[in-house]
Amino acid sequence: GGLAAAASSLRPPRARGANESNVVDHTFMLESATKASFFLEPAALDADGVILPNVSKKLAIRKVAHGLHRPSGPIRDFVLSRKVGDVARELGWRKPVVAQTLYRIAPPGSAGVDRHQDSVTLYTEPPSVLGLWLALEDTDESNGCLHVRRGSHRHPIRERLKRKDCGGAAAGVTL
């Protein structure tokens, strides 16, 4: 039941179209903005996107995202708390708004998150998005601490996801 049952029915996004290297069906990602969606560890899946028989369904979950703050409950209470708002205001944001929430699960031996820029998916002109990473447990080199390249927030954006066919339910996203 619960998380394991929900995770057993997930499939990772698949490339589609003539140029499979840069067109991916991100419908699942887009739909995750309004609810808690389960994302699985790629190494825990076979070629068809099914959890391998020797992998615990609980350990196959990579993250739960991106709309965890939308329903009432402890996550919403936490991210909308005065303390979190005060941190954002101390960093210069006058009217902070929560765009997405993500609970990253890092079981022993799981892959980390590759180098990336959050502005790839949270893009605004002019840049107006601040990402706050709040560890819920102590972290260090042995269990998945965050590494940040000094000054990287000032680097140009290397890639950007753009939504195509915004009216359709199965909108594709081009890298």
Side-chain angles (χ1 to χ4, degrees):
L3 295 179
S8 68
S9 65
L10 296 181
R11 300 292 181 268
R14 294 283 182 218
R16 61 182 171 84
N19 186 354
E20 292 188 354
S21 65
N22 73 345
V23 179
V24 177
D25 181 357
H26 279 34
T27 303
F28 183 77
M29 175 81 91
L30 293 169
E31 291 173 350
S32 75
T34 60
K35 60 187 176 188
S37 299
F38 297 88
F39 292 75
L40 304 178
E41 286 288 350
L45 306 174
D46 66 17
D48 295 321
V50 176
I51 297 173
L52 295 167
N54 62 332
V55 176
S56 158
K57 289 177 183 173
K58 183 178 177 183
L59 295 179
I61 299 172
R62 179 182 187 94
K63 68 181 178 180
V64 185
H66 290 99
L68 283 78
H69 63 287
R70 309 259 323 198
S72 296
I75 293 175
R76 181 181 179 86
D77 294 345
F78 175 70
V79 300
L80 297 180
S81 71
R82 181 177 187 96
K83 281 179 141 178
V84 173
D86 287 347
V87 168
R89 282 185 285 281
E90 286 229 7
L91 293 170
W93 301 94
R94 287 180 287 201
K95 295 181 182 177
V97 175
V98 178
Q100 71 172 218
T101 43
L102 182 145
Y103 184 79
R104 172 77 169 101
I105 301 164
S110 66
V113 177
D114 288 337
R115 164 197 66 79
H116 71 281
Q117 294 174 298
D118 290 344
S119 292
V120 167
T121 54
L122 295 171
Y123 183 84
T124 61
E125 285 184 25
S128 63
V129 177
L130 169 70
L132 292 177
W133 189 83
L134 305 169
L136 301 180
E137 299 175 350
D138 289 341
T139 60
D140 60 28
E141 293 288 333
S142 70
N143 70 353
C145 61
L146 177 68
H147 291 270
V148 178
R149 178 182 286 169
R150 183 181 303 267
S152 63
H153 63 293
R154 293 186 179 98
H155 292 178
I157 297 171
R158 290 184 296 272
E159 60 185 358
R160 183 172 155 212
L161 295 178
K162 289 186 178 181
R163 189 185 294 211
K164 303 287 186 187
D165 185 21
C166 293
V173 180
T174 303
L175 288 175

